[in-house]
Amino acid sequence: MKESTFVMTTKQSIREAFAEASSFLAAHEVMEPQRNAQLLLEHVLGLSGAAYYMALPDPFPDERQKAWEEVISRKAAGEPAQYIIGEQEFYGIPFQVTPAVLIPRPETELLVEAVLQQAEQLWPQGAAPAGRAASAAEQEPPQGQGAGRVPGPADAELPDREAARPAAQGAQPLRRRRCRHRGRPAPLVAADIGTGSGAIAVTLALHAPRWQVYASDISADALRVAARNAEANGAKVAFEEGNLLEPFAGRRVDILVSNPPYIPAADIPGLQPEVRDHEPRTALDGGADGLAPYRIMMQQLPLLQEPPRLIGFELGIGQAGEVADLLRQAGHWDEIMIIPDLAGIDRHVLGVRR
């Protein structure tokens, strides 16, 4: 087994340090060694863009050598660069990531884009019909940035139901209320199920600020990360802890979006080590065939006031046909769309009720 501790050689330029680290990572079978070395070098030096490239001929700063050796050693041992840096960009927005959450992937940006496009077609005014607003019990909208409390250490002695109840810094707990202005269009309600880092929910909230955006996750640790991301990016999102659709029982949800765990359990040992050994198992394991979360969500739809008019799922390779069939069998949507990712892989399924 190769020694994964990286030690710089003699004095060298930043460009030479980059080349040396890239070769070291390649020798340890790290995928995209140059890309990883550049990400980590930019992080250690605090440089990016043109400033990074202009600095390449400069001597490597002595005071950054220890940090450089540490991050390259961690990467060679298999740790994802995003966890080392503590950040991953999604839809042009920076998101904090920790081992409590799945690292956001570029293909999920296509799901967000598709949901925003379909919602604009379904609701050109960006709101639910006025008649519906007069009769439906509405949720209290998220208050402030990153609204919605996630459980903290002090909740350990509280019943689970109480620990999962949102309330938060300067924000009132979520509560249902009657629409005070009958006949006025109600804000669209969007729910991100299995939010992880909050990438989908925060992005939707920022790009559709008139919506009421909610997000749930079964992991309290993930919700804390998501809440920090909402606050850091100035997004109004309310967070709740619970299993899939359960936190939204009795509520109206117009738009439901989810990137749930979809890896078949038997396939997890064969994943890339940096995924298998570092990303949370609960965010990967989709049961025997990877489809368990989708089936459960279809079974949980009766918990909602009515099925969402727009639903969007991300899924794994080869799963699009089966997930599309689940939506067809549910019978709530008159148009089912399968959307490929940039590699041509069928990656998302949307259901729309026109």
Side-chain angles (χ1 to χ4, degrees):
M1 184 175 180
K2 298 184 181 71
E3 174 59 53
S4 61
T5 301
F6 174 69
V7 179
M8 284 183 67
T9 54
T10 56
K11 285 274 190 179
Q12 50 191 298
S13 68
I14 292 173
R15 179 181 283 109
E16 290 167 334
F18 163 75
E20 181 182 41
S22 297
S23 297
F24 184 82
L25 295 178
H28 285 78
E29 300 180 350
V30 171
M31 295 186 67
E32 298 183 304
Q34 292 185 326
R35 176 59 178 155
N36 276 285
Q38 180 175 337
L39 284 172
L40 295 171
L41 186 53
E42 289 176 338
H43 171 66
V44 167
L45 298 178
L47 299 173
S48 62
Y52 166 78
Y53 290 103
M54 289 177 65
L56 288 175
D58 297 343
F60 193 95
D62 292 339
E63 68 274 13
R64 306 310 302 159
Q65 179 175 337
K66 183 176 179 181
W68 177 234
E69 291 174 342
E70 179 184 348
V71 299
I72 292 300
S73 296
R74 289 170 64 183
K75 182 64 238 177
E79 188 174 352
Q82 293 89 340
Y83 288 158
I84 298 172
I85 294 170
E87 185 176 286
Q88 169 67 18
E89 186 176 281
F90 180 87
Y91 221 85
I93 304 164
F95 283 87
Q96 179 191 128
V97 291
T98 76
V101 301
L102 194 76
I103 298 166
R105 267 62 170 183
E107 55 265 28
T108 309
E109 296 179 355
L110 300 177
L111 175 61
V112 171
E113 185 174 327
V115 167
L116 289 169
Q117 289 176 347
Q118 291 300 318
E120 186 175 6
Q121 294 177 22
L122 290 172
W123 298 279
Q125 304 304 316
R132 190 172 180 183
S135 61
E138 302 297 343
Q139 294 96 330
E140 191 72 29
Q143 303 291 321
Q145 297 177 355
R149 185 177 68 83
V150 296
D155 293 313
E157 299 177 1
L158 295 175
D160 289 344
R161 184 179 50 150
E162 295 296 318
R165 184 175 296 168
Q169 294 183 328
Q172 294 297 317
L174 291 176
R175 57 184 182 276
R176 300 213 305 266
R177 61 176 173 81
R178 290 285 175 181
C179 184
R180 297 173 186 152
H181 306 284
R182 293 186 178 274
R184 179 176 296 179
L188 292 173
V189 177
D192 172 23
I193 309 301
T195 194
S197 66
I200 291 176
V202 168
T203 304
L204 289 176
L206 292 176
H207 285 266
R210 295 177 61 188
W211 295 5
Q212 291 180 15
V213 180
Y214 298 86
S216 69
D217 204 286
I218 200 169
S219 166
D221 289 337
L223 287 173
R224 292 187 186 96
V225 175
R228 290 196 294 270
N229 281 323
E231 183 175 6
N233 288 294
K236 295 180 180 181
V237 181
F239 298 94
E240 295 202 43
E241 183 179 356
N243 185 35
L244 300 175
L245 305 190
E246 288 179 355
F248 304 101
R251 302 185 186 182
R252 175 172 66 85
V253 174
D254 299 297
I255 301 163
L256 191 151
V257 60
S258 182
N259 178 18
Y262 54 68
I263 306 296
D267 292 351
I268 290 178
L271 295 176
Q272 297 171 8
E274 64 177 32
V275 175
R276 180 193 63 216
D277 299 337
H278 295 275
E279 298 199 65
R281 173 99 183 203
T282 54
L284 299 170
D285 192 339
D289 62 357
L291 301 177
Y294 307 98
R295 295 193 185 97
I296 294 171
M297 282 189 274
M298 291 299 98
Q299 294 165 2
Q300 290 177 333
L301 283 175
L303 294 174
L304 307 178
Q305 282 189 7
E306 61 180 308
R309 193 173 171 193
L310 172 60
I311 188 168
F313 289 139
E314 182 165 317
L315 33 94
I317 296 174
Q319 296 176 336
E322 291 177 272
V323 173
D325 285 343
L326 288 174
L327 268 62
R328 291 190 188 96
Q329 291 164 14
H332 303 304
W333 303 279
D334 48 38
E335 184 176 357
I336 309 297
M337 293 175 280
I338 296 176
I339 300 173
D341 62 20
L342 296 179
I345 298 168
D346 290 338
R347 183 65 67 180
H348 306 110
V349 170
L350 267 64
V352 182
R353 188 166 67 251
R354 298 293 180 186

